[in-house]
């Protein structure tokens, strides 16, 4: 148990370290954007208030958005807090947990990553339990509670019933179409070669390494994407300021 927890903690620390920089950029960028809309934009757009001409559409949109944030920021904050609280309460229900886990597994990019982590956790636990003399049914009953995903836990619970009726672990896990095909094949090879414990641990190593590589690739792409998004927003704000000035200069000429 100590070895399992140590490996899982190491992997979690690597994931947190990889996501720390993009998360910090997102938070700081959001704060700066709100400050621009609430304090800076109204000050500058006040120059255009006395203009006797129709402002460009981007400028009108920016002024409207700034007024919305400035006047109703507390309503927006309450909506965000209420949505988070309602989601957390919904997730505590069995139906909410099931729908949330199903939705998370269906997300492109994130879904396969979460599935690999859950399957790796299942394989690591099963391999260690079986290697230390725990029976198959007891190991499945324990492993289903630490999978971290309701769909995978239900698949393991269903597999335990099938194994109890004499079916092999690989075909029992394949019935729900939740576990990756590679996992089923490796478990099948392990059962046929009487090396199921080592195969489960090997599968956990493979998926943990793949998950870590995927996270590193995603974070390396996420940083420039966030920079482009923030640059686009700032560019839109600058353009909204410049368009009325260009029109004024044209009228003066």
């Amino acid at each position: 148990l100590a070895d399992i927890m140590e490996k899982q903690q190491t992997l979690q620390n690597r994931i947190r370290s990889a996501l720390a920089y993009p998360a910090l950029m997102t938070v700081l960028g959001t704060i700066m954007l709100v400050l621009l809309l609430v304090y800076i934009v109204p000050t500058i757009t006040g120059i255009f208030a006395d203009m006797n001409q129709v402002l460009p559409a981007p400028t009108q949109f920016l002024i409207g958005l700034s007024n919305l944030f400035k006047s109703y920021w507390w309503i927006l904050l309450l909506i965000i807090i209420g949505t988070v609280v309602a989601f957390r309460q919904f997730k505590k229900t069995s139906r909410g947990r099931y729908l949330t886990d199903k939705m998370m597994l269906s997300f492109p990019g994130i879904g396969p990553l979460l599935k690999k982590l859950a399957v790796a956790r299942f394989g690591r636990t099963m391999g260690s339990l079986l290697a230390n003399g725990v029976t198959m049914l007891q190991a499945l009953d324990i492993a289903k509670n630490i999978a971290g995903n309701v769909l995978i836990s239900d698949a393991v619970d269903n597999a335990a019933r099938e194994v109890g009726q004499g079916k092999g672990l690989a075909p029992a896990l394949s019935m729900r179409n939740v576990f990756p095909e590679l996992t089923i094949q490796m478990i099948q090879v392990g059962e046929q070669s009487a090396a199921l414990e080592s195969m489960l641990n090997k599968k956990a190593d493979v998926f943990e390494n793949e998950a870590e590589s995927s996270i590193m690739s995603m974070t390396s792409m996420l940083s420039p994407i966030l920079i482009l998004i923030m640059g686009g927003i700032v560019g839109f704000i600058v353009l909204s300021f410049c368009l009325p000035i260009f029109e004024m200069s044209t009228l003066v000429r």
Side-chain angles (χ1 to χ4, degrees), residues 12-81:
Q12 290 176 1
N13 291 337
R14 290 177 180 174
I15 293 174
R16 291 194 185 101
S17 299
L19 296 177
Y21 179 67
L24 180 63
M25 287 186 58
T26 302
V27 172
L28 293 179
T30 303
I31 293 175
M32 293 302 299
L33 179 60
V34 172
L35 291 177
L36 280 173
L37 292 175
V38 173
Y39 295 104
I40 307 301
V41 172
T43 302
I44 299 178
T45 54
I47 302 174
F48 308 130
D50 299 329
M51 293 177 59
N52 296 322
Q53 63 180 26
V54 179
L55 296 176
T59 308
Q60 294 181 10
F61 174 78
L62 183 63
I63 293 175
L65 188 62
S66 176
N67 293 333
L68 177 65
F69 272 90
K70 186 176 181 180
S71 303
Y72 303 104
W73 64 268
W74 58 275
I75 297 179
L76 297 174
L77 183 61
L78 288 177
I79 291 175
I80 294 174
I81 295 175

Side-chain angles (χ1 to χ4, degrees), residues 78-92:
L78 288 177
I79 291 175
I80 294 174
I81 295 175
T83 302
V84 172
V85 172
F87 177 76
R88 290 173 64 91
Q89 293 298 322
F90 175 71
K91 191 177 179 180
K92 291 180 180 179

